[in-house]
Amino acid sequence: MTAAPAYATSVSPTATRLWSRFRGLLIALLVLALGGLTLAALKSGEQHGRLDPRSADPTGSRALATLLSERGVDSRVVTSTREAADAAGPDTTLLVTDPNLLTDRQLATLRTAAGRSAGRTVLLAPDQSALDSLAPGIRAGEPTDVTERAPDCSLPAARRSGDADLGGLRYTGAGPDADRCYSAHGLPTLLRLPASSPDDAGPTDGTATTAGDTVLLGAPDLFYNHRLAERGNASLALQLLGSHRHLVWYLPSVSDPASAPDDERSFLDLIPAGWRWGLLQLALAAVLTALWRARRLGPLVPERLPITVPAAETTEGRARLYEQAGARDQAATVLRSATRARLAPLVGVPPLDADSADVLVPAVAARLTADGAPSGALHALLFGPAPADDKALVQLADRLDDLERSILHQERPAPREHPDS
């Protein structure tokens, strides 16, 4: 038995080939991951301690809390709805920094607490769901840019403060006795709703307490540390939050037991909006990578093969496969088809008619016999049935070879004799 030839070159993928093939995709994913981490770090740094009176970050509110304390206002920070409701009172201002994070149950608790007290409630950028509970009848309009705006109202606090940085959400639907200040395109970004009677405030326990006023701010920017010293921001913030001796600074927290949803939500509802944008960016990056790595129309690029196999070995290997499978019919078909393809141009038959017996056989017979003898033998040779055994297959191959040689012999011109001979 002859041993199979051993080749030193391996066709299995190596680390170099894998890196050359996938380096573009890996680099793109690495850049995307680093960009996401950088944006997340920057975003988290900006939002750390947002509106927290203990935070000195640019978006914190320690400067405002310090000014309020110097003016005798006692500030208390709470992180649960129950604490905020219990702390509400007649000489208290309740500041809700992010009412949009509260559930319907939490909003109902705050509404009941505000209805039992004569204090002030300040809501920062409340959306429609928060307004429906805490300021019924008020509608939230399209947001606008936060920029310097004039008071344009009769509210004493706004008139004494002058221009301030207001914007964000705009509000409509207030009664004629409401104060509409710092308007943008005709709609106020600061809206003060006057104190309501006990009947309008909701259920009470029989006391004669009147609900206090409610202040809606379209954006909380004037409370930030880095904006407090600009224009009349500090004056307006101090007057809005310092109208009573006590200030309850409510920072909603996800650890609050009351923040549990009242009903079941789907998995997509639990995904933060930032992750959805991240998934969209990943999908866009995948599409761009696919377009980048896709095949383009153009000239073929020659590629060096890892090994070179001689044509004789390829022919022998294919013949052994036919032999192992006993596919004499397939082998005979291949031999006859190849012979017909080579004979057609030699006898003047178009390549498209090489497999047509009515065209090829008469042309071959006319070249072999001068008198146009019957071509039955040629038809059986070129288009006949499959051989019955291996011996017949070998004979068929020999006869096809002889036929081709005889045609080629006729094609070669006779040698010309020398003039001197």
Side-chain angles (χ1 to χ4, degrees):
M1 179 180 293
T2 304
Y7 299 98
T9 305
S10 173
V11 297
S12 60
T14 61
T16 303
R17 291 177 185 168
L18 291 176
W19 167 250
S20 177
R21 182 179 303 175
F22 298 107
R23 62 183 176 185
L25 179 60
L26 294 177
I27 292 175
L29 292 177
L30 180 60
V31 171
L32 184 63
L34 291 177
L37 291 175
T38 303
L39 290 177
L42 295 176
K43 192 69 174 178
S44 62
E46 292 177 356
Q47 298 299 324
H48 175 70
R50 177 177 176 270
L51 294 173
D52 193 327
R54 301 160 296 188
S55 173
D57 292 342
T59 56
S61 299
R62 179 190 288 183
L64 177 57
T66 301
L67 293 177
L68 289 170
S69 177
E70 292 174 354
R71 285 158 178 78
V73 178
D74 178 26
S75 298
R76 175 185 175 187
V77 178
V78 298
T79 57
S80 68
T81 307
R82 178 49 54 192
E83 290 178 324
D86 294 341
D91 196 18
T92 302
T93 298
L94 174 61
L95 170 64
V96 185
T97 59
D98 201 343
N100 304 328
L101 293 180
L102 305 179
T103 63
D104 293 340
R105 182 170 52 186
Q106 291 176 293
L107 292 173
T109 302
L110 288 182
R111 179 182 179 182
T112 302
R116 294 172 185 266
S117 66
R120 167 175 287 181
T121 303
V122 180
L123 306 177
L124 300 186
D127 60 10
Q128 194 57 52
S129 61
L131 292 174
D132 292 340
S133 295
L134 300 178
I138 305 301
R139 308 296 299 177
E142 293 295 328
T144 185
D145 296 335
V146 176
T147 186
E148 179 182 357
R149 301 187 188 278
D152 293 332
C153 66
S154 59
L155 181 65
R159 297 182 62 181
R160 286 192 293 265
S161 301
D163 295 349
D165 293 331
L166 266 297
L169 294 176
R170 299 174 298 162
Y171 301 101
T172 60
D177 52 350
D179 294 307
R180 301 170 178 84
C181 304
Y182 300 97
S183 298
H185 307 289
L187 297 178
T189 60
L190 187 154
L191 182 63
R192 191 193 74 89
L193 304 176
S196 58
S197 63
D199 295 336
D200 299 332
T204 62
D205 55 1
T207 62
T209 305
T210 302
D213 61 348
T214 302
V215 177
L216 309 179
L217 279 175
D221 295 56
L222 63 91
F223 291 164
Y224 291 156
N225 290 329
H226 71 286
R227 281 189 180 248
L228 192 63
E230 299 176 0
R231 290 169 280 281
N233 294 345
S235 175
L236 181 60
L238 290 173
Q239 293 181 78
L240 292 178
L241 301 183
S243 59
H244 299 287
R245 291 196 314 168
H246 304 287
L247 172 63
V248 178
W249 207 296
Y250 179 25
L251 302 173
S253 172
V254 294
S255 61
D256 185 0
S259 63
D262 300 328
D263 53 357
E264 294 294 332
R265 292 187 291 175
S266 63
F267 175 74
L268 294 178
D269 295 333
L270 300 176
I271 299 178
W275 283 101
R276 297 176 185 175
W277 282 109
L279 292 177
L280 179 60
Q281 292 178 2
L282 288 176
L284 180 60
V287 172
L288 294 178
T289 303
L291 293 177
W292 169 51
R293 298 295 296 176
R295 294 184 179 273
R296 298 174 176 85
L297 298 178
L300 296 178
V301 179
E303 182 180 359
R304 198 169 104 190
L305 298 177
I307 59 175
T308 302
V309 180
E313 292 188 10
T314 304
T315 303
E316 292 178 3
R318 189 171 183 180
R320 291 192 188 98
L321 292 176
Y322 283 141
E323 182 182 7
Q324 292 177 2
R328 286 183 294 272
D329 54 346
Q330 182 66 23
T333 300
V334 172
L335 292 174
R336 284 168 169 159
S337 177
T339 302
R340 292 195 299 265
R342 291 191 294 267
L343 288 178
L346 298 179
V347 298
V349 174
L352 295 178
D353 296 330
D355 294 328
S356 176
D358 297 335
V359 178
L360 182 64
V361 172
V364 175
R367 295 297 298 270
L368 291 178
T369 60
D371 55 352
S375 56
L378 288 175
H379 187 281
L381 177 61
L382 294 174
F383 295 95
D389 52 23
D390 292 344
K391 182 178 180 181
L393 179 62
V394 175
Q395 292 176 355
L396 174 63
D398 293 339
R399 292 175 59 194
L400 292 173
D401 192 31
D402 293 339
L403 175 62
E404 190 173 351
R405 276 202 300 266
S406 62
I407 297 295
L408 288 173
H409 179 70
Q410 290 185 0
E411 286 291 321
R412 294 174 184 171
R416 300 176 61 182
E417 296 183 356
H418 197 274
D420 298 335
S421 60

